[in-house]
Amino acid sequence: MTEQTNETAATDVAKPARKPHGWREVLAALREPRVLVTLLLGFSSGLPFMLVGNTLGFWLREQGIELAAIGFLSWVGIAYSLKFLWAPIIDRVDLPLLGRLGRRRGWMVLTQIVVGIGLFGMAAVGPGGHLWTFALLAVITAFAAASQDTVVDAWRIERAESPDDLGLLTAAFQFGYRIAILATDAWILVAAAKLGWPTSYLLCAAAMGIGLTATLFAIEPARTPAAASGVAAAPLWTPRGFFDAVVGPFVTFFQTHGPMALLMLCTVALYRLPDFLMGPMAAPLYTDLGLAKEMIGAVRTSFGLVATFVGIALAGLSAVKLGFEKTLVLGAVLGPGSNLAFSAMALAGPNMPVFIGAMIVDNISTGFAGAALVAYMSSLTSLGYTATQYALLSSTYAMLGKFLKGFSGAVVEGLEKSFPLMTSYAIFFAGTAAVGIPVVILSIVLSHHQSKAKAAQASA
């Protein structure tokens, strides 16, 4: 249960006076077609995320792929951190032929079809005998999936009729996204145990038809103004247009926050680093411990699911009672608890009580830390950031971790030269937890400075 926490949710744009919506309100509103469509699009967006991430590592390890190769293959997820580079193209260019459906719907159809084909190809090729071809298909799937996230986010934001309506559609999207994560992080293990990995991936490829159907029933949103000032944006292919689309949001960020901006960016960029670093080695640890896939899936869908929502609920309560900054500090302290739980699991061996305890700690820690970061980033967007600024900020928080995690398998294999495999895992996970110490310090400093700034504004 790593790194996926609210990554897509981190692309949401917070608008003034947006009312939070719970799952009960979403379920009650599913009779409205646009809410149901949004939920199904959320499912479609979440479906490929784990299939080219941690779940893929499970399949690779069962096929006997070396840990170093598994770590390097995790780099396919970098597409989610680089999507802001081609987001302006999706935002401003109509597709040939499919453009007749509308700019948003046309891009959604294309990306969903490519994701489905990519997953089908991965199932057909398999990692056993054609690893490079398999890796190429995973890269194509990841880029298409990241592009789908971008266009679905844009559709959801533009389709909302009011700030409060945006909150409802966002909650529906997250609901669908979490169902997909649960399916591809836990239920798929049960399916793989009974049907095999290729058939399980084929079923997921077919499930992309859910999103495709939702897209065909979706209504193309009306064009939003190019800028609040009413001045048309420069063409993307011009220097000014490129600067405005990609560089401009960061410039505005620094102009708004001044000296605090760099501290904010450093904290956000490093905040989830321990979680990202451990991610590719979680599934191989399960395999090397000899844990049955059915058992892992059962624990994740029971204890793990409840623990995740407990962590998220605690983070929400903390944000209300203590504020975003102090909640950020607590999340920085609790987050590495997930890494230490995996260290304990490696040392204990295939012990069921320890495994259940580790999953509870892991999911509470990641749930709290992920929600704390999203809450803090949302508090920044409420100050007037645009969708592009927030997309860039969310890419910043994931980019470094997704690059460094590619070396995780090589680190474990390097440790294995001096220690037994399980001890090497334990040292590795403990080391990734220690990476979180600078984040705790940065979060405390940031919280202190922002508290002083708010006090100064209040006294003025």
Side-chain angles (χ1 to χ4, degrees), residues 55 60 119 127 131 144 260 265 311 319 329 393 395 406:
T55 300
L60 292 171
L119 293 175
L131 186 58
M260 290 285 293
L265 285 178
V329 175
L393 193 60
S395 294

Side-chain angles (χ1 to χ4, degrees), residues 176-239:
Y177 195 91
R178 288 186 180 280
I179 293 173
I181 290 296
L182 180 63
T184 54
D185 187 43
W187 295 339
I188 194 173
L189 299 181
V190 179
K194 297 181 179 299
L195 306 174
W197 283 109
T199 302
S200 301
Y201 266 65
L202 281 175
L203 291 174
C204 291
M208 286 303 299
I210 295 174
L212 186 60
T213 302
T215 299
L216 296 178
F217 280 95
I219 296 176
E220 180 73 8
R223 287 286 183 265
T224 55
S229 62
V231 179
L236 179 61
W237 55 86
T238 65

Side-chain angles (χ1 to χ4, degrees), residues 318-332:
S318 175
V320 172
K321 297 293 185 180
L322 302 178
F324 295 117
E325 292 80 11
K326 292 182 179 178
T327 300
L328 193 72
V329 175
L330 287 175

Side-chain angles (χ1 to χ4, degrees), residues 42 52 60-61 63 83 90 111 124 131 141 175 179 189 217 252 258 268 283 290 294 300 302 310-311 410 446 453:
V52 294
L60 292 171
R61 191 56 173 170
Q63 291 292 312
K83 59 187 177 183
I90 294 175
T111 55
L131 186 58
T141 303
F175 193 14
I179 293 173
L189 299 181
F217 280 95
T252 304
V268 168
E294 300 95 327
R300 280 181 170 179
S302 54
V310 168
L446 179 60

Side-chain angles (χ1 to χ4, degrees), residues 125-379:
V125 172
H130 306 279
L131 186 58
W132 283 109
T133 303
F134 184 83
L136 177 61
L137 289 166
V139 169
I140 294 172
T141 303
F143 271 89
S147 302
Q148 180 189 202
D149 278 4
T150 300
V151 67
V152 170
D153 279 332
W155 177 89
R156 171 176 48 81
I157 293 167
E158 295 171 1
R159 187 70 181 88
E161 298 172 355
S162 66
D164 186 62
D165 190 46
L166 177 59
L168 176 61
L169 296 185
T170 297
F173 176 88
Q174 291 176 341
F175 193 14
Y177 195 91
R178 288 186 180 280
I179 293 173
I181 290 296
L182 180 63
T184 54
D185 187 43
W187 295 339
I188 194 173
L189 299 181
V190 179
K194 297 181 179 299
L195 306 174
W197 283 109
T199 302
S200 301
Y201 266 65
L202 281 175
L203 291 174
C204 291
M208 286 303 299
I210 295 174
L212 186 60
T213 302
T215 299
L216 296 178
F217 280 95
I219 296 176
E220 180 73 8
R223 287 286 183 265
T224 55
S229 62
V231 179
L236 179 61
W237 55 86
T238 65
R240 177 187 169 189
F242 181 83
F243 182 90
D244 289 343
V246 178
V247 182
F250 274 115
V251 173
T252 304
F253 182 87
F254 278 90
Q255 289 176 340
T256 302
H257 295 285
M260 290 285 293
L262 185 59
L263 179 59
M264 290 176 177
L265 285 178
C266 287
T267 304
V268 168
L270 298 176
Y271 196 80
R272 301 299 289 146
L273 189 58
D275 195 38
F276 281 119
L277 290 176
M278 69 169 278
M281 293 298 103
L285 173 63
Y286 299 149
T287 300
D288 290 339
L289 283 173
L291 300 174
K293 291 191 288 293
E294 300 95 327
M295 185 264 289
I296 297 171
V299 172
R300 280 181 170 179
T301 53
S302 54
F303 294 99
L305 182 63
V306 173
T308 296
F309 284 111
V310 168
I312 294 172
L314 289 174
L317 181 62
S318 175
V320 172
K321 297 293 185 180
L322 302 178
F324 295 117
E325 292 80 11
K326 292 182 179 178
T327 300
L328 193 72
V329 175
L330 287 175
V333 173
L334 292 175
S338 173
N339 307 56
L340 295 176
F342 274 80
S343 285
M345 186 165 51
L347 293 175
N351 184 300
M352 176 62 74
V354 173
F355 175 64
I356 293 175
M359 289 299 96
I360 292 174
V361 172
D362 172 38
N363 285 278
I364 290 178
S365 299
T366 55
F368 189 102
L373 179 60
V374 170
Y376 177 70
M377 293 172 71
S378 296
S379 74

Side-chain angles (χ1 to χ4, degrees), residues 42-64:
F43 178 85
S44 182
S45 289
L47 191 69
F49 187 80
M50 296 300 290
L51 298 178
V52 294
N54 292 352
T55 300
L56 180 60
F58 212 129
W59 186 5
L60 292 171
R61 191 56 173 170
E62 283 199 345
Q63 291 292 312

